[in-house]
Amino acid sequence: MLDEKTINIVQSTAPVLKDHSKEIGKRFYELLFEKAPDLLNVFNQTNQKRGIQ
C-alpha cells in the first residue's frame, strides 16, 4: 500500500511523464547503454533506432 505522500508525488508527476515520455525514454536508454553496454544485446537495436522500444 502506498502512503499519501507517495500517491501525491505520483499524481503530480504523471502529467509531466505523459507529456515527455518519448524524450525521457530516449534519454533513459542512452544512459542505460552508456553505463551498461553489455545490455545492448538484450534489446532490439532496430526498434531502439525507430523509437518504438
Side-chain angles (χ1 to χ4, degrees):
M1 191 68 146
L2 299 176
D3 62 30
E4 192 67 30
K5 181 180 177 185
T6 302
I7 292 169
N8 289 337
I9 291 170
V10 171
Q11 288 176 336
S12 68
T13 58
V16 174
L17 294 173
K18 180 182 177 194
D19 291 344
H20 300 283
S21 62
K22 288 190 180 196
E23 295 92 350
I24 292 168
K26 182 176 187 257
R27 185 65 179 141
F28 168 82
Y29 285 111
E30 287 172 354
L31 291 171
L32 175 68
F33 297 138
E34 180 182 305
K35 304 279 184 196
D38 52 310
L39 291 177
L40 281 166
N41 66 343
V42 176
F43 293 87
N44 183 314
Q45 291 307 300
T46 300
N47 289 344
Q48 285 291 314
K49 288 181 178 122
R50 293 174 57 203
I52 58 175
Q53 181 174 4

